Amino acid sequence: GHAVPGDLSAPRSGTAADGRLTRLSFSSETGPIAELIVGSAHPTIVSRGSDWLDPDWPGAVSATREAAGAGVALVLQGAGGNASAAIRDGETLQGYADRFAAGAAAVAATPSAAPGLTLVRIGVTLPETAASRLVPAFARGPANNVVCSERDTVATVALARLAGVTLLAVPVEPSFAEGRALEQAAAADRVVSLAGGYLGYVEPAEVVAKGEGESRRQYYGADLAQVLEAGA
């Protein structure tokens, strides 16, 4: 099922963040087996000064749902490229995770008449990288040379239909606007980001042309969105 709690994600750029929650629950006659949750917010609540690896809010949400008897809980990132976790004043990581987990638990589940799995994967040819937004003008030539020599030339876009819900997996961090464009191109319910690799951020071509949103963090130019949408 899907829901929009409205108080879990906040835009760090642009006018809107992806506040939707999607939950797929799997159970047998003896009880819950697992669930898959898709939400959107950068997992950066834990400070950079931590001395150990931390799964941040997705790990805390997973542990909270598992402790509640939901089975194995897998938390995936949606179109979180421009989304921050909407932390309330004085709220701890666990407090936010509790709110997120409660929101996920409240998503109404609709029994699926076709719980099978369909998976389609294709490769798309990537455009040239563009360092113009990443480094000062005098360093763009060397930066482009380094990035181009190390860059991937093909990216994988995958479409999975599971229990009547269609997920589009992409190896980028799309903003909410670009996430919706990708979903529309693939007729998907949700985009799942950071899947199968990492190519940085992606904004719609018109946003990149204006230098707005997360485009200043993109490794690629405006044509990255067009390539991914065509693949979708």
Side-chain angles (χ1 to χ4, degrees):
H2 310 278
V4 186
D7 61 349
L8 296 174
S9 301
R12 75 175 189 184
S13 65
T15 59
D18 188 356
R20 297 171 295 170
L21 276 181
T22 297
R23 181 172 69 95
L24 281 72
S25 179
F26 305 89
S27 61
S28 68
E29 294 178 353
T30 59
I33 298 173
E35 68 179 17
L36 185 154
I37 300 169
V38 184
S40 304
H42 273 92
T44 53
I45 299 175
V46 176
S47 67
R48 295 184 179 183
S50 176
D51 293 330
W52 55 83
L53 291 174
D54 194 295
D56 211 271
W57 69 260
V61 170
S62 175
T64 300
R65 290 296 300 144
E66 290 178 357
V72 177
L74 178 62
V75 180
L76 302 178
Q77 191 72 234
N82 72 320
S84 295
I87 301 293
R88 296 172 178 172
D89 289 342
E91 189 172 48
T92 63
L93 184 151
Q94 188 58 53
Y96 176 78
D98 289 342
R99 282 200 296 122
F100 201 107
V107 176
T110 303
S112 174
L117 171 66
T118 300
L119 178 65
V120 180
R121 300 170 71 246
I122 66 167
V124 297
T125 301
L126 292 170
E128 294 294 324
T129 52
S132 61
R133 293 171 307 281
L134 304 177
V135 297
F138 71 87
R140 288 172 187 170
N144 270 328
N145 290 337
V146 171
V147 175
C148 285
S149 67
E150 298 295 331
R151 77 180 184 94
D152 295 323
T153 57
V154 176
T156 298
V157 176
L159 193 73
R161 185 166 181 81
L162 180 63
V165 175
T166 302
L167 303 174
L168 176 70
V170 292
V172 291
E173 292 187 75
S175 66
F176 186 24
E178 181 55 29
R180 294 306 299 267
L182 289 165
E183 290 167 358
Q184 291 171 6
D189 294 291
R190 291 297 301 272
V191 65
V192 173
S193 62
L194 302 168
Y198 183 70
L199 302 175
Y201 292 85
V202 59
E203 285 275 16
E206 61 270 19
V207 175
V208 178
K210 297 177 182 177
E212 297 176 346
E214 302 298 313
S215 67
R216 64 185 183 279
R217 297 183 173 94
Q218 282 193 209
Y219 302 150
Y220 296 82
D223 41 4
L224 177 61
Q226 298 166 341
V227 166
L228 293 174
E229 288 168 25

